[in-house]
Amino acid sequence: MTTLPPQKIKVHKGSKTLELVFEPESYQLPFELLRVLSPSAEVRGHGANDGELPLNKQNVLITKIEPQGNYAIRLTFDDGHDSGIYTWSYLKDLGENHEHYWQEYLVQAEKKKEEMETSVVRWVSPPPAE
């Protein structure tokens, strides 16, 4: 089933949310959530590549919204990211399942931070003294 476009799209810079009205529902999606869950290949990956989970996007802003035909929008963020195409169905799903996706992201982000803070170090013995 095709999701119809929202009746209203509004950027709220103060609260850093994107308001989407899919009658009768209205969703307030945080910019950070939209950025870290971008449907782009950079974030999602290409085939076997797992993609890259963005971190530290709490202060990211949306600087531009461009229609993509009748089925989606492209969001441009102030960190330069602009390659995700957000379909109406994807945006509606994010709105309906916002809390689930947010909690999932927090778990993945914490795991990635831990991996970045710990690493395996290989001990190399110095050559014998002559």
Side-chain angles (χ1 to χ4, degrees), residues 36-37 42-43 50-55 105 107-110 112:
V36 300
L37 295 181
E42 172 191 338
V43 174
D50 287 341
E52 184 65 29
L53 182 68
L55 296 177
Y105 166 70
V107 168
Q108 291 174 359
E110 187 60 34
K112 182 175 178 180

Side-chain angles (χ1 to χ4, degrees), residues 16-72:
K16 296 181 184 160
T17 59
L18 183 67
E19 179 182 2
L20 298 158
V21 177
F22 290 96
E23 291 292 342
E25 303 298 325
S26 177
Y27 306 107
Q28 299 277 335
L29 297 175
F31 294 169
E32 180 181 7
L33 179 75
L34 291 163
R35 175 60 179 91
V36 300
L37 295 181
S38 170
S40 68
E42 172 191 338
V43 174
R44 293 282 179 95
H46 311 208
N49 179 358
D50 287 341
E52 184 65 29
L53 182 68
L55 296 177
N56 304 315
K57 299 300 179 182
Q58 303 89 331
N59 297 314
V60 74
L61 297 173
I62 292 174
T63 59
K64 185 168 33 168
I65 299 175
E66 298 174 87
Q68 301 295 297
N70 293 322
Y71 71 98

Side-chain angles (χ1 to χ4, degrees), residues 17 27-31 33-34 37 91-105:
T17 59
Y27 306 107
Q28 299 277 335
L29 297 175
F31 294 169
L33 179 75
L34 291 163
L37 295 181
L91 289 166
K92 190 170 185 184
D93 180 50
L94 285 177
E96 292 172 346
N97 300 294
H98 166 248
E99 195 55 41
H100 167 76
Y101 288 127
W102 184 248
Q103 291 305 317
E104 197 174 85
Y105 166 70

